[in-house]
Amino acid sequence: MALLVHLLACAFGLGSWVAVNGLWVELPLIVNTLPEGWDLPSYLTVIIQLANVGPVLVTLMHKLCPGRLKETVVIYCILSIGVISCVLLAFFWDKTTVVAGATRSTAFFAITFFLSLVDCTSSVTFLPFMMQLPANYITTYYIGEGLSGFIPGVVALAQSVGIAKCVNSSQTAGNQTDGGLWSSHTEYLPPNFSTEVFFGLLAVMMCISLAAFAALNRLPRIFDLSTEKLVPDAVASVSSGLENPGAEAAGEGARCQGEAAARSEPLSTSPKHSVYQLTFIYFMVVWVNCATNGVLPSVQTYSSKSYGNLAYHLSAALASVANPVACTIAMFFQNRSLVFLGVMTALGTGFGSYNMAMAAMSPCPLLQGSVVGEMIIVLSWLFFTGTLSYVKVMVGVILRDQSHSALVWCGAATQVGSLVGSLTMFPLVNVYRLFKSGDFCSTRCPS
């Protein structure tokens, strides 16, 4: 029976961020179809930030009408919305409409908002529910949350998106262009399975999470959960969990920080930090989340797609895998030194700066057309995500040990950084058009 509960806890955690993670790793295929093209990631970052209205509304409900909103009802609702949204996405992701004279992916954006609403709200509902179970099941739940990023990345790699070749116009048109030069274009080979199948797999994973929660919801009536078995400082209800804005942060950063907080030592035994140290810590929180949740995701297409669709595919999929791996490493190998975290932040910023520079140089980045260039951009995205994800976890540990209010402000700083990054990049990408797209085969770059 204990093994069954561990499996259910893992499956329940799977539904936390699997939908949004799935969207990101499938972008290399989606951007070739939807009219927004290379600008699509910048739209997604803003939509995900707007979806934080879900946790805010649930929090206000608990503040204004205490005891009215049951945790089981909230979780059943958001998981059901997640299942329905994934199914709708499989059928309507490529449907477009004309808005203000331009073709827009209205169906994709609307469904993405609801998927983001589900995942953002899960950050403040799933963990408080799991706190009602014995402590040894919490770790298993975190493994499931890690798999919510790992599995979509592995599935996307198995999909083999991004295999392409440059085809001369003579192979298809049988003639030459003016001047006697052959023109060429990119021809993408079909993936091992379609985008519709991928979104269907996301729906299946959401169904597994919903079924696991339905089973777990009956466990408190079956098992005798004594006080001694619960996690220290456990949150008995979703209401008390929602009173902490630190849980309302968007993306994987919020999940990792919550995980770190739950595994850290009791507050009473924790060292205190000076005002200057706390200022530095909060600066890291704002900066890291601004970079990872807003700035760099908006230009990921421009930074890596100029090297070819395969490089873009690998950078998106492996970066998604790097996040849960970094969080898992931080769970077992913790270094709270502010000097070390500052170095890690600078290192991650360096990788991010390289990615941004390649995006600014698009469609002619450094080492374009070489295997070395492709390897560097993929590894740069991998280490950018991994190093800064580790910093997020350790910052969550430090501030949780500082005080409860420190973790509250951590959540606020996380949200501010994410929002500033998203809102800053959106006009730069979509209004001022500072980043240029180009076809890997047809673009002619100076040697």
Side-chain angles (χ1 to χ4, degrees):
M1 183 61 71
L3 177 60
L4 174 61
V5 178
H6 278 295
L7 292 176
L8 292 176
C10 182
F12 176 49
L14 183 65
S16 56
W17 282 93
V18 69
V20 169
N21 286 326
L23 288 178
W24 280 111
V25 299
E26 192 69 2
L27 275 182
L29 188 59
I30 297 175
V31 295
N32 296 323
T33 303
L34 296 184
E36 289 76 16
W38 291 30
D39 296 338
L40 194 60
S42 63
Y43 285 94
L44 290 187
T45 56
V46 175
I47 291 174
I48 293 173
Q49 295 303 316
L50 293 176
N52 279 280
V53 67
V56 172
L57 291 177
V58 175
T59 303
L60 289 177
M61 184 67 180
H62 279 289
K63 292 291 186 180
L64 300 177
C65 305
R68 290 284 188 88
L69 197 60
K70 303 299 181 181
E71 60 182 11
T72 55
V73 175
V74 176
I75 297 176
Y76 272 125
C77 288
I78 63 175
L79 285 176
S80 298
I81 293 174
V83 172
I84 295 172
S85 298
C86 286
V87 173
L88 292 176
L89 196 63
F91 289 99
F92 300 105
W93 71 273
D94 57 348
K95 306 302 179 183
T96 60
T97 57
V98 177
V99 178
T103 304
R104 298 295 181 186
S105 307
T106 49
F108 181 79
F109 290 152
I111 298 173
T112 297
F113 173 79
F114 284 103
L115 287 176
S116 303
L117 192 68
V118 171
D119 290 0
C120 291
T121 308
S122 73
S123 296
V124 296
T125 54
F126 284 16
L127 184 59
F129 172 80
M130 286 301 301
M131 289 296 187
Q132 302 178 54
L133 299 179
N136 56 324
Y137 297 116
I138 303 297
T139 302
T140 309
Y141 166 79
Y142 285 134
I143 293 174
E145 282 196 328
L147 291 177
S148 72
F150 182 79
I151 292 179
V154 173
V155 172
L157 289 174
Q159 194 178 12
S160 296
V161 177
I163 306 301
K165 61 179 180 180
C166 297
V167 180
N168 290 330
S169 60
S170 60
Q171 293 180 261
T172 56
N175 55 12
Q176 292 180 308
T177 58
D178 294 338
L181 297 176
W182 298 104
S183 62
S184 62
H185 66 276
T186 303
E187 182 179 284
Y188 296 101
L189 301 181
N192 292 333
F193 50 88
S194 66
T195 300
E196 290 78 8
V197 173
F198 181 86
F199 289 144
L201 293 175
L202 294 184
V204 170
M205 285 187 275
M206 290 298 298
C207 288
I208 292 174
S209 180
L210 177 58
F213 171 71
L216 284 173
N217 191 38
R218 298 179 58 86
L219 293 181
R221 304 183 183 94
I222 300 174
F223 293 95
D224 179 19
L225 304 179
S226 61
T227 305
E228 291 77 16
K229 294 181 180 179
L230 295 179
V231 177
D233 300 324
V235 184
S237 69
V238 69
S239 175
S240 55
L242 290 171
E243 289 173 358
N244 178 8
E248 295 178 11
E252 286 290 315
R255 180 187 67 78
C256 293
Q257 289 173 355
E259 175 178 338
R263 294 180 60 88
S264 60
E265 298 296 324
L267 298 177
S268 59
T269 61
S270 305
K272 301 298 180 180
H273 293 82
S274 66
V275 174
Y276 297 104
Q277 290 174 321
L278 287 175
T279 301
F280 175 69
I281 291 172
Y282 284 120
F283 171 78
M284 284 195 298
V285 173
V286 173
W287 175 254
V288 167
N289 284 278
C290 179
T292 57
N293 295 343
V295 175
L296 269 302
S298 299
V299 296
Q300 185 173 16
T301 315
Y302 295 93
S303 69
S304 52
K305 193 171 174 62
S306 294
Y307 291 95
N309 213 53
L310 179 59
Y312 179 31
H313 169 59
L314 291 176
S315 64
L318 293 180
S320 179
V321 171
N323 196 304
V325 170
C327 293
T328 302
I329 292 174
M331 287 170 61
F332 300 100
F333 302 98
Q334 298 186 358
N335 190 329
R336 306 188 187 197
S337 169
L338 295 185
V339 175
F340 175 77
L341 294 180
V343 171
M344 290 291 286
T345 301
L347 185 61
T349 301
F351 289 119
S353 299
Y354 179 82
N355 298 339
M356 179 61 73
M358 296 305 101
M361 296 175 66
S362 175
C364 298
L366 296 176
L367 301 175
Q368 186 191 39
S370 68
V371 176
V372 174
E374 295 177 19
M375 291 177 59
I376 291 176
I377 194 63
V378 171
L379 291 176
S380 181
W381 272 101
L382 180 67
F383 290 124
F384 163 74
T385 306
T387 54
L388 296 189
S389 294
Y390 182 89
V391 173
K392 290 180 185 181
V393 180
M394 295 315 304
V395 166
V397 171
I398 293 172
L399 293 179
R400 194 275 181 186
D401 288 352
Q402 178 72 18
S403 68
H404 176 77
S405 61
L407 194 59
V408 171
W409 284 107
C410 176
T414 298
Q415 195 61 25
V416 168
S418 302
L419 186 62
V420 169
S422 300
L423 295 183
T424 299
M425 294 305 299
F426 187 83
L428 297 181
V429 174
N430 299 284
V431 179
Y432 298 104
R433 300 289 177 181
L434 298 184
F435 300 91
K436 306 298 182 183
S437 61
D439 185 82
F440 175 74
C441 295
S442 60
T443 301
R444 294 292 179 262
C445 297
S447 56

